[in-house]
Structures are given as C-alpha cells and as structure tokens.
C-alpha cells in the first residue's frame, strides 16, 4: 500500500503542451504539497494546500495550478510547458500538528517531466 | 527568508565508521527540523523529525540533534553500512514557507 502515489512516473512532452500530474495520499493527512527538484537536485516548495488554505510560492509561474478534488488528492496542472519546466516533481503530505506546524512529511516517488 | 546549508556536499567513508552530517539554517524561528534520505531515482524517506522544543531524536543507528539558538542540526550515523549510501537532506519548517531544504549531502559508504 503506497502512502503517497503519483502518476505518471515519467512524462515526456513538447513545449507549449498542457499536462497534469496526479497525486493521491491514503494517510488521511490534512495537508498536501508539491515540490520541484531541479537538475541540481535542489528541492523547492511550489504549493501547500489543506482544506482551508492554498499557499503558493510566489516564484511559481501562474502556468502551474494545483487542483484538489478532495482531501486525498492534489493534482498539478501545467499550461504552456517550457523547457525550464523539466524537473522531477514530488508530491507530499503531512498531518497538521497545530499552531501552523506540520508533522512528518511523506513523499511520493516523484514524476520526472521532460519538455522537448 | 530561510536558507538551509548542508556541509559537506559529498562524503565518502569506509564501512563501519561513525560520521556526522551538518545542517545550518538562518532563521531560528522554526517549528521543526526534519532529516530525509533520498536514494537515486526515488522519493524522500523521512528519517527523523525534531520539534523546536526538542534537542535530539534517535532512531536505530541514527541520532539527530537540534540547536535552535545557533541554527544548527547534526545527523550522526553510527557504524555506517554500504546500505546507508544515499543523499541526506535536512529541511527546516517555519511558517507559510513550508519546508526549506538544504542541497543535501551525498554519502558513499565504501564496503
């Protein structure tokens, strides 16, 4: 039973296309996240979302949009893909620990996006 | 804005040695600090989470310490094994920024 699962694991597409990456967690967590890991392996948060609030990293282009149909899912939509969007995208989830803090984060296996 | 630095960037040691990985952060107003392990082509696996009120956490051969006032955390690995080879990341959690990650320490344990 995978706790946080992402699909697809690999995605190769052309510039200008629109694509989505799906994420599901079966841990009953309150908060889900999307992180981007670039070619230098540096991880940076893109979004965090719970049923109350979407927090967007201000450096994320508005071509990226998270969509949460329910508490267990947070999908990532990307419009007008650019070469620089090539990276590994990780979904994660955590349980709120109160006072603004989160508990331990659980990560998916990642989705490697290649834009040609 | 929080910045997390990990030293060294890479480390190679013989099997059996004890080793220390270092992590420093610029903003001491954190909720917690987490250490993760990432194997090539895989996601991150949480190793230890230290709440801001705690000084250390232990799990098996791993011990992580936290000194909030100096903005430092260390991950101590005892009796290293080849299976410990991976990239180790620390991440500080504070406010709306979520987790801020360091760039990791790439660890190789030589058999």
């Amino acid at each position: 039973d995978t706790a946080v699962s992402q699909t697809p694991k690999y995605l190769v597409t052309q510039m200008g296309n629109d694509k989505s990456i799906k994420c599901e967690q079966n841990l009953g967590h309150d908060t889900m996240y999307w992180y981007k890991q670039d070619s230098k392996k540096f991880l940076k948060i893109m979004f965090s979302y719970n049923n109350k609030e979407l927090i967007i990293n201000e450096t994320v282009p508005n071509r990226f949009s998270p969509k949460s149909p329910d508490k267990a899912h947070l999908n990532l939509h990307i419009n007008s893909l650019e070469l620089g969007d090539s990276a590994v995208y990780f979904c994660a989830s955590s349980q709120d620990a109160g006072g603004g803090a989160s508990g331990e984060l659980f990560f998916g296996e990642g989705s490697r996006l290649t834009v040609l | 804005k929080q910045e997390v630095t990990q030293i060294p960037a890479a480390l190679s040691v013989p099997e059996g040695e004890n080793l220390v990985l270092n992590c420093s952060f610029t903003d001491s107003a954190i909720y917690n600090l987490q250490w993760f392990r990432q194997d090539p082509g895989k996601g991150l696996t949480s190793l230890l989470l230290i709440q801001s009120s705690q000084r250390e956490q232990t799990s098996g051969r791993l011990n992580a310490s936290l000194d909030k006032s100096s903005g430092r955390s260390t991950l101590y690995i005892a009796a290293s094994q080849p299976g410990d080879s991976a990239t180790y990341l620390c991440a500080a959690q504070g406010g709306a920024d979520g987790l801020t990650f360091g760039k990791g320490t790439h660890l190789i344990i030589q058999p």
Side-chain angles (χ1 to χ4, degrees):
Chain A
D1 285 347
T2 304
V4 181
S5 58
Q6 302 177 223
T7 54
K9 190 168 182 178
Y10 299 97
L11 183 56
V12 181
T13 189
Q14 300 286 332
M15 278 177 56
N17 285 350
D18 303 337
K19 290 293 177 186
S20 296
I21 305 172
K22 294 184 177 180
C23 179
E24 176 182 5
Q25 55 97 2
N26 63 7
L27 298 167
H29 284 167
D30 295 323
T31 305
M32 296 184 72
Y33 311 82
W34 278 103
Y35 282 83
K36 179 180 180 180
Q37 189 170 44
D38 61 25
S39 58
K40 296 183 180 179
K41 307 296 184 186
F42 188 48
L43 265 165
K44 197 167 183 181
I45 190 165
M46 300 177 70
F47 306 100
S48 68
Y49 183 80
N50 61 23
N51 57 6
K52 302 166 195 166
E53 193 175 11
L54 171 67
I55 299 174
I56 302 172
N57 185 321
E58 67 275 6
T59 65
V60 175
N62 57 15
R63 299 181 294 104
F64 290 78
S65 58
K67 288 186 169 51
S68 180
D70 55 54
K71 188 177 159 180
H73 296 83
L74 184 65
N75 303 324
L76 181 65
H77 296 270
I78 316 169
N79 295 325
S80 302
L81 278 157
E82 300 177 357
L83 293 176
D85 297 333
S86 296
V88 181
Y89 292 85
F90 286 98
C91 177
S93 72
S94 69
Q95 183 66 32
D96 284 347
S102 73
E104 187 178 2
L105 256 71
F106 291 80
F107 279 79
E109 294 271 292
S111 296
R112 181 176 293 276
L113 171 65
T114 302
V115 182
L116 303 175
Chain B
K1 188 176 166 82
Q2 180 75 271
E3 291 183 8
V4 177
T5 304
Q6 291 187 244
I7 295 173
L11 182 63
S12 180
V13 300
E15 180 178 4
E17 283 199 6
N18 302 325
L19 55 99
V20 175
L21 308 182
N22 296 294
C23 172
S24 61
F25 46 96
T26 55
D27 186 351
S28 62
I30 62 171
Y31 291 120
N32 60 55
L33 187 131
Q34 293 184 235
W35 282 92
F36 295 87
R37 167 187 174 137
Q38 185 174 27
D39 292 286
K42 298 289 187 181
L44 280 70
T45 300
S46 179
L47 298 173
L48 291 162
L49 182 152
I50 314 176
Q51 300 291 353
S52 61
S53 58
Q54 297 173 324
R55 297 283 293 183
E56 66 178 342
Q57 282 286 334
T58 298
S59 175
R61 294 182 294 107
L62 305 179
N63 175 278
S65 68
L66 174 64
D67 184 341
K68 256 185 60 171
S69 59
S70 67
R72 294 182 182 182
S73 177
T74 61
L75 179 66
Y76 175 82
I77 304 177
S80 58
Q81 302 171 358
D84 295 331
S85 298
T87 296
Y88 290 80
L89 297 132
C90 76
Q93 197 213 1
D97 291 341
L99 280 181
T100 301
F101 280 85
K103 293 187 177 182
T105 294
H106 182 56
L107 176 65
I108 296 175
I109 307 298
Q110 307 153 8

